[in-house]
Amino acid sequence: MTITEHPWWKTATVYQIYPASFKDSNGDGIGDLNGILSELDYIKSIGVDAIWVCPMYDSPQVDMGYDISDYEKVYPPYGTVADMERLISACHQRGIRILLDLVINHTSDQHRWFQESRSSISNPKRDWYIWRPAKYDSDGTRKPPNNWRSFFGGSAWQWDEHTQEYYLHLFCAEQPDLNWENEEMRHALYQSSMRFWLDKGVDGFRVDTVNMYSKVPGLPDTPVTDPNQEWQLAADLFCNGPRMHEFLGEMNAILSEYGAMTVGELPFTKTVEKVLKYVSAEARQLSMTFQFDVVDTGFGTDLKYDTTPRAWKLPEFKDAVFSTQRLITGTDAWTTAFLENHDQARSISRFGSCATEELRSRSGKMLALLLASLSGTLFVYQGQEIGMTNAPESWKIEEDYMDIESRNYFQYVVDKTGNDPVETARAKAALQHLARDHARVPMQWDSSPHAGFTTGKKPWMRAIDNYTHINVQNQTPDKQSVLSFWKQMLQLRKAHQDVLVHGDFQMLDRENEETFLFLKKFGSQRALVALNFTEHEQPFEVPGVFENGNAVRIASNYDDDVKGPLRCFEGRIYLGMAA
Ligand code: TEU
Ligand code: CA
């Protein structure tokens, strides 16, 4: 099959699983592969077509498995390679495809390649990572090779006493960046991380930080954008480097032998021209990418958590949606739709409301309706289908938050401000609103202790107390639940896939700060989507986009078919022919 005919993944909905927090099968408090296996029928019942399993490889878990020490082994608390083989075939038996997470910008510092690389300057694998000598100030103080900041704070360079050089780590010091300039390394990497699992039958990969493999030659300093900080965000120098497309071409040659699909994470890439180089079918690089425009809404511009809750207005959100939707208009490219993943706080808490149970349920359904009507491959994150929320304000950063990014940021603010109460309270509010932790809590299965996630005494991370009423068991038989609504929306999306999955997106009310109206177009088919992002009634009339004004309301998160104003967090889809 050529990539331009309709491959399976275009109309697919993918369900993302975070192994540590999905389901614990043996009571040790850590989710595992057998836990996933035991819930495949549940996953199937939602109506999804594929799962994406976050890193389940062997790892010291400094960054929750994004620090891989062996691509060909499974992290023992999660299970074994044989368990993975069983999971792959159990998925396939049910007609579910399975994607793994391909994390190849860096490895763990415990990977044997890095152990060899750091053992001496003359080791044959020395050049498999990015080593540089120190720079020295006029007063003889040792300095890293450049001023780049790591994503998790501090310099992106780590001094190695043993060989007296620095190595580069864009993420934490335990995640050294691989040197993609070294061809031998690349081929060993493709073999170990890709072929090993493709040979076992996986259907594709979510590709971590896919645009950072090629860095700007010479690794120069980045211009100082924030003079108050020693280390600067250097994204323009380590994203989308000159050899990126050559490397992806090499990878694609292997992936296409297996017909594998890829979805690459494409941060810091905003212009359509740049994105199209990754996702146009003709370019043969990646099947699709995750753009960050939508999930970055409300982030601080330099530091993500340097912000306050809800520091955004609806037009910005709409522009972000538009920038991902427009990728397929008049091109051969493909796109994705998502509001959550393991790096994002919960969408209801960010874009809806959980002030009351009624508001949570209403806004959760409105967001489901939005996602179901966007073009591209749809990704749903575990717990999103039952409308899980952020952890409450009562949670303590030092005790209940586990993510290295959250903890490092909070510590940075404490240190920088001398523990200033106003500044630390602001940082805490930002984390309560945006931290990655909110997605990483135990999945809420039922109202038994720890949300039914584990039968053990203590989960690795605390469950959110609202599991007593927000859980799979409650919502499954309840026709009015967020879960039941998601199931309906996924069916509706399939039933109208031309216009909902493949249609061109046109924004109708950009300046409106309360409602979001857009049109989807496919041939002469039209779908009008109307969403109220507030608790208050908002004026609305079906605009003159349909032939003879004829349109059928095919979906809503309210039962009665009212034509007038949009009620509290109401969402509607109307279908008709072009005027
Ligand atoms: O995230 C990479 C990524 O693009 C970061 O810039 C992201 O914005 C980060 O989470 C900062 O908030 C991937 C994984 O999804 C993430 O979980 C890992 O921590 C990271 O790569 C390192 O492998
Ligand atoms: Ca377990």
Side-chain angles (χ1 to χ4, degrees):
M1 178 167 52
T2 70
I3 204 161
T4 44
E5 291 165 12
H6 277 339
W8 67 268
W9 38 260
K10 286 203 171 178
T11 51
T13 299
V14 182
Y15 186 79
Q16 183 190 352
I17 295 176
Y18 203 60
S21 303
F22 190 62
K23 180 104 197 191
D24 174 20
S25 71
N26 62 353
D28 66 355
I30 304 171
D32 45 53
L33 299 178
N34 285 331
I36 300 174
L37 192 73
S38 72
E39 293 296 350
L40 284 184
D41 291 327
Y42 165 69
I43 293 168
K44 179 85 187 167
S45 78
I46 305 168
V48 301
D49 308 280
I51 59 171
W52 146 26
V53 184
C54 277
M56 73 304 149
Y57 314 97
D58 205 3
S59 160
Q61 306 288 331
V62 176
D63 184 24
M64 290 303 294
Y66 284 89
D67 48 325
I68 297 169
S69 54
D70 191 339
Y71 292 100
E72 300 171 30
K73 270 204 189 125
V74 169
Y75 177 51
Y78 292 164
T80 61
V81 171
D83 292 333
M84 271 306 289
E85 288 168 337
R86 268 190 292 278
L87 182 63
I88 294 166
S89 75
C91 284
H92 290 164
Q93 273 162 24
R94 288 167 177 78
I96 300 173
R97 294 205 164 73
I98 175 166
L99 313 175
L100 301 188
D101 212 309
L102 187 61
V103 189
I104 51 179
N105 175 69
H106 42 265
T107 67
S108 162
D109 63 346
Q110 302 304 309
H111 195 290
R112 67 187 156 79
W113 296 344
F114 187 72
Q115 296 289 315
E116 287 179 45
S117 183
R118 82 180 329 173
S119 66
S120 81
I121 286 189
S122 59
N123 183 279
K125 291 201 175 58
R126 182 67 171 181
D127 189 46
W128 285 30
Y129 292 83
I130 303 173
W131 293 95
R132 292 289 182 278
K135 284 209 295 208
Y136 291 91
D137 270 358
S138 47
D139 67 358
T141 313
R142 193 188 69 224
K143 284 263 164 161
N146 66 28
N147 65 352
W148 298 3
R149 183 173 80 214
S150 114
F151 282 105
F152 298 143
S155 166
W157 295 91
Q158 177 72 22
W159 177 247
D160 180 60
E161 276 301 333
H162 178 61
T163 54
Q164 298 283 301
E165 281 190 330
Y166 283 94
Y167 66 84
L168 181 71
H169 60 92
L170 295 181
F171 294 88
C172 66
E174 294 85 352
Q175 289 167 303
D177 279 54
L178 286 158
N179 179 19
W180 279 69
E181 302 294 322
N182 185 304
E183 196 180 343
E184 198 191 349
M185 183 296 286
R186 294 202 304 279
H187 291 291
L189 185 64
Y190 301 153
Q191 182 63 40
S192 188
S193 66
M194 290 167 46
R195 274 199 201 275
F196 180 83
W197 292 103
L198 288 166
D199 285 337
K200 298 199 181 298
V202 305
D203 300 284
F205 296 104
R206 174 269 190 181
V207 196
D208 193 59
T209 56
V210 77
N211 58 348
M212 300 184 192
Y213 309 155
S214 169
K215 280 99 179 158
V216 161
L219 312 179
D221 276 339
T222 189
V224 175
T225 47
D226 183 352
N228 296 318
Q229 298 201 55
E230 189 171 12
W231 312 112
Q232 306 287 319
L233 178 62
D236 288 346
L237 299 178
F238 60 70
C239 288
N240 309 317
R243 297 185 70 187
M244 236 4 279
H245 295 288
E246 176 195 341
F247 299 154
L248 285 175
E250 284 181 3
M251 286 168 63
N252 191 262
I254 297 170
L255 292 157
S256 47
E257 278 179 43
Y258 298 83
M261 79 78 108
T262 48
V263 50
E265 215 194 7
L266 208 64
F268 303 104
T269 310
K270 301 259 181 199
T271 63
V272 182
E273 297 69 37
K274 274 192 187 167
V275 179
L276 286 176
K277 287 189 184 157
Y278 288 89
V279 290
S280 100
E282 206 193 342
R284 294 186 155 277
Q285 301 264 293
L286 297 161
S287 313
M288 63 192 98
T289 58
F290 290 130
Q291 301 308 117
F292 281 63
D293 309 51
V294 180
V295 290
D296 280 358
T297 305
F299 281 11
T301 39
D302 186 44
L303 293 170
K304 168 179 170 184
Y305 299 120
D306 230 336
T307 185
T308 50
R310 298 206 178 233
W312 55 278
K313 291 222 157 48
L314 197 53
E316 289 168 49
F317 180 84
K318 298 179 199 181
D319 286 347
V321 171
F322 176 62
S323 66
T324 64
Q325 290 289 293
R326 68 192 285 202
L327 286 174
I328 64 169
T329 304
T331 70
D332 65 351
W334 195 237
T335 190
T336 57
F338 68 101
L339 285 178
E340 292 189 15
N341 60 42
H342 65 291
D343 290 335
Q344 304 299 333
R346 292 294 183 176
S347 55
I348 293 183
S349 303
R350 294 181 66 184
F351 306 114
S353 168
C354 36
T356 66
E357 177 52 22
E358 164 68 14
L359 289 170
R360 180 194 69 85
S361 167
R362 200 64 86 184
S363 63
K365 292 176 193 171
M366 186 273 284
L367 294 171
L369 186 143
L370 162 65
L371 284 166
S373 58
L374 291 176
S375 288
T377 302
L378 176 57
F379 290 79
V380 181
Y381 181 70
Q382 68 182 44
Q384 186 176 5
E385 79 279 18
I386 56 169
M388 281 177 63
T389 65
N390 278 7
E393 283 168 25
S394 57
W395 279 31
K396 298 205 164 34
I397 308 292
E398 303 87 336
E399 285 166 32
D400 301 316
Y401 286 61
M402 307 295 280
D403 181 22
I404 181 169
E405 185 183 79
S406 309
R407 287 173 170 239
N408 285 4
Y409 176 74
F410 194 68
Q411 195 55 48
Y412 158 82
V413 173
V414 167
D415 294 346
K416 192 179 164 167
T417 67
N419 211 358
D420 176 75
V422 174
E423 273 305 306
T424 50
R426 191 217 41 84
K428 202 181 158 194
L431 288 164
Q432 197 274 323
H433 190 59
L434 292 174
R436 309 198 296 182
D437 299 83
H438 303 294
R440 300 176 176 195
V441 297
M443 174 70 186
Q444 296 174 189
W445 293 103
D446 59 40
S447 57
S448 68
H450 312 301
F453 159 74
T454 179
T455 52
K457 284 204 192 65
K458 202 174 180 280
W460 75 276
M461 185 177 179
R462 177 175 174 182
I464 299 180
D465 292 334
N466 64 20
Y467 71 77
T468 51
H469 62 278
I470 304 173
N471 63 57
V472 171
Q473 195 183 45
N474 273 349
Q475 294 193 18
T476 302
D478 175 3
K479 295 275 172 296
Q480 299 295 328
S481 67
V482 176
L483 177 59
S484 296
F485 192 78
W486 262 106
K487 291 180 182 173
Q488 287 167 33
M489 285 303 105
L490 294 184
Q491 276 180 13
L492 183 94
R493 180 173 171 81
K494 285 261 153 72
H496 301 284
Q497 62 184 40
D498 283 350
V499 69
L500 296 185
V501 180
H502 296 275
D504 288 332
F505 176 97
Q506 185 192 337
M507 185 126 69
L508 297 179
D509 68 342
R510 182 184 180 278
E511 305 306 327
N512 190 311
E513 296 188 358
E514 277 82 35
T515 64
F516 186 5
L517 257 60
F518 60 87
L519 198 60
K520 296 291 299 291
K521 309 187 212 175
F522 188 87
S524 55
Q525 287 183 58
R526 295 289 178 273
L528 172 77
V529 182
L531 309 164
N532 179 358
F533 270 73
T534 74
E535 291 174 35
H536 310 288
E537 199 171 276
Q538 301 295 338
F540 170 74
E541 255 170 58
V542 176
V545 295
F546 293 109
E547 186 185 35
N548 304 324
N550 284 335
V552 185
R553 192 196 73 164
I554 58 164
S556 167
N557 54 348
Y558 282 77
D559 285 336
D560 51 342
D561 187 354
V562 168
K563 299 217 162 33
L566 295 170
R567 289 160 285 181
C568 160
F569 286 110
E570 182 165 348
R572 298 180 200 158
I573 307 177
Y574 293 92
L575 196 68
M577 303 305 274

